[in-house]
Amino acid sequence: MIKLKNVSKYYYGKGVVATGFSKVNLELNLGEFVAITGESGSGKSTLLNVISGLDTYEDGEMYINGEETSHYIEKDFEEYRRKNIGNIYQSFNLINSYTVYQNIALVLMLNGEKDIKNRVIELIKKVDLYKFRNTKVSRLSGGQKQRVAIARALAKDVPIIIADEPTGNLDKRSALSVMKLLSELSHDKLVIVVTHNYDQVAPYVTRKITMHDGKILEDVKVKDIDNKATYKPSKLNTLSIFNRFRLGFRNTFNIIPKFVLLLLVFSFIVGALMSEYSSFRKEETQSKEEASNVVFKNKSVNRIVLKKKDKSVITDNDLEVLRKLDNVDYVVDNDLLLDTELGLRDEDDNYWVRTFIMPYINFKNTVDVGRLPENDNEILLEMNEDCYYFSYERDKMLEKEWFFVNDYNETAANNKKLKIVGISYNNHLNYDDIYSYVGDTLQKELKVEIHKQFSDVVINFYGKNHKVDRYSTAFQLTPSDRVPVGQAYIPERYSYLCYKNDCLWSTFDVTNNNLYYKDTKTFTISRTYNKKNITSMVDIPDYKKDNFEFQYDGKIYINTQDFLSLFDKENYQASVFVKDKELVHDTALNINKLGYETLEIKDTLVELGFAQYIRIIKLIITIALVVTLFFISYFIIKIILKSRNTYYSIIRMLGGTKNITTELLVIELMLVANIAYFIFMIFVYINHMGMINVKLFTDIYEVFKVNDYIILYLIVVGMAFVSSMRYSRKLFKDSVMKSFKEEV
Ligand code: ADP
Ligand code: MG
């Protein structure tokens, strides 16, 4: 049945070649119970491994049922093993974390057997371990373990049982019962046993082979074979899908420390990825904001900004001429509006979001929530459907009252109460851009605030210049009808600026300097205010009365008329929007001929190209980090998985194919990766619910969209997949015995 002709096996070490055995000739048949003896190192194990197909051979030819095997590749040996061989080892090679039942059932599962349960129980009874069927193998004695190994070898109905010193670790009595069990099997099988103690097997064997120094020294027939069995290889089925998952799940959880370690590694991967990705995303949106901060916020390539060459005011007449030019779609006078951001705040001060102001006539979209504005105090918002702000309660927004506010939270547009009556979704917009469409009157009222934002205001107080910062209330000129013309009310705490700490009736200059004009006005300080008397001097809006932060409030109140004469100026700049953006340059040239300086917004976007490069570089860095992360984690995973070498080698010894083994490995790692990801998501969620407060989780919740979660999930799961594939490739690079021995 098995025939070896001049077969040799060498081991290639570092520069030396060791002989496992050389020029062995041998024929073995069914019904035989062969004992192989010989001193240690004589090549017995090597011979058995070659016969088992667990190790390769170099010279000669091995025939299996007449078929040559020298051309076999690993896959052929896999099939051969699965059909023919049941192995029993001195060191048992059981899966210690499995129970007796699970160890035996494993072979049947790997072989795709259907009705496993009865067969396993029958086998367990046969080796007399019924009482221990649900005991973990690690708790059994040596003799019991070897009986489990025998039951496992018998589970598949294979023609050849190979046992390498099966009694080497057993006491005399256990050894005897094991040998007896084996001899019973040899009626219809070929049983080959390596033993040091020939006397133990002498009563049962039919043949005795003695090895010495890699050669067969003696081969004697001890007994006639009484039974001529026929060769009947085991059927080849494969592990069912259901059982693959069952095994995969069991493997994931049955060694707790390993599971915890892997979970930690994957949690680290998920955490590092998430934090890297979220900071990349944040920077991305920030760099967009920075790029758009370069004066022009409305970056339509159809836009041409213009002003008179002589810096004079743009009149209605001029606008009329511009409107009639070829390719002009519409003209926006007072176009600073397009580049201004204001705050939009609700009556309860719950929301404060940035918004661009747009003239309502430019609204081209459709309304998705609510309706179009009809009154002057009604506004319409346009934003991305996934806009960060207002992601909840969009309906409620329509019920509240709103204010436009400037950078230091002072209401603009004469404290006008606004209604948001409609929302329009435009998914071309950035996630954090909100456009507020306003009607004519409101637009005019906002003009003052907008001009103020675009002006450099300097207050000269006792020979010292104070530049007014648009983000703070210090020195902010604030209109009030109750201050007499030409006078000013200043905070009491500014007294230190004046001679002898007394500011009353002294004067100061205000200079408003912008692109188009420079204007200076002089004011006389007629009163100073403090927290107590302020309310009797000027009107404080209701919402401010309760939390009036007097100590920070540095506003200078002047008469509304004075205020308007400083900031409510004529129009010096306008924008033309063209119909055909291809012709924008020609249109600009035409406008130029009419006496205007023009700026095509498309030319300003070159800067954005630069930002694009920065973004690409950041993306490359992020990818490099992900790759580094992968190698670091693979290194750790590899170390952890090393403890699984035994397990996967045993699976292979039992006839698990490369595919199945790989799949089990994939399921094991994927499952851990999924759990790690899921746990992380739970943390993000409970952080959002306010039960914990971790910045990373908050950032993720704010910045991530469904896409991002999916991308990161795929990266994490992909890492688990690639790790298991790589590891399995490493595992299968060598023959079973080589990779098994590597870690034993
Ligand atoms: P036995 O089982 O009879 O004790 P082995 O078959 O294990 O002997 O070993 C036979 C010879 O092959 C010995 O000289 C041993 O040193 C050598 N050998 C066995 N395994 C390896 C290996 N993995 N690498 C190198 N040499 C080996
Ligand atoms: Mg040996």
Side-chain angles (χ1 to χ4, degrees), residues 4 6-7 20-28 34-38 42-44 47 51 207-220:
L4 282 78
N6 279 327
V7 175
F21 58 79
S22 68
K23 297 215 163 19
V24 164
N25 288 289
L26 193 61
E27 188 172 350
L28 302 162
V34 185
I36 302 179
T37 63
S42 55
K44 306 181 296 291
L47 181 62
I51 293 175
R207 184 168 167 186
K208 179 189 179 193
I209 294 172
T210 313
M211 289 189 77
H212 175 73
D213 203 10
K215 292 211 155 53
I216 291 180
L217 193 70
E218 192 186 30
D219 183 354
V220 284

Side-chain angles (χ1 to χ4, degrees), residues 39-56:
E39 72 270 33
S40 183
S42 55
K44 306 181 296 291
S45 297
T46 310
L47 181 62
L48 286 197
N49 290 339
V50 167
I51 293 175
S52 309
L54 289 170
D55 223 339
T56 51

Side-chain angles (χ1 to χ4, degrees), residues 600-635:
E600 295 159 49
I601 289 293
K602 74 168 168 44
D603 295 339
T604 69
L605 299 182
V606 179
E607 285 208 50
L608 289 176
F610 184 65
Q612 204 94 38
Y613 283 122
I614 293 178
R615 218 173 304 155
I616 289 170
I617 290 168
K618 276 178 186 157
L619 183 66
I620 291 171
I621 293 174
T622 306
I623 290 172
L625 274 165
V626 170
V627 173
T628 315
L629 192 65
F630 171 76
F631 281 106
I632 294 172
S633 38
Y634 176 68
F635 183 73

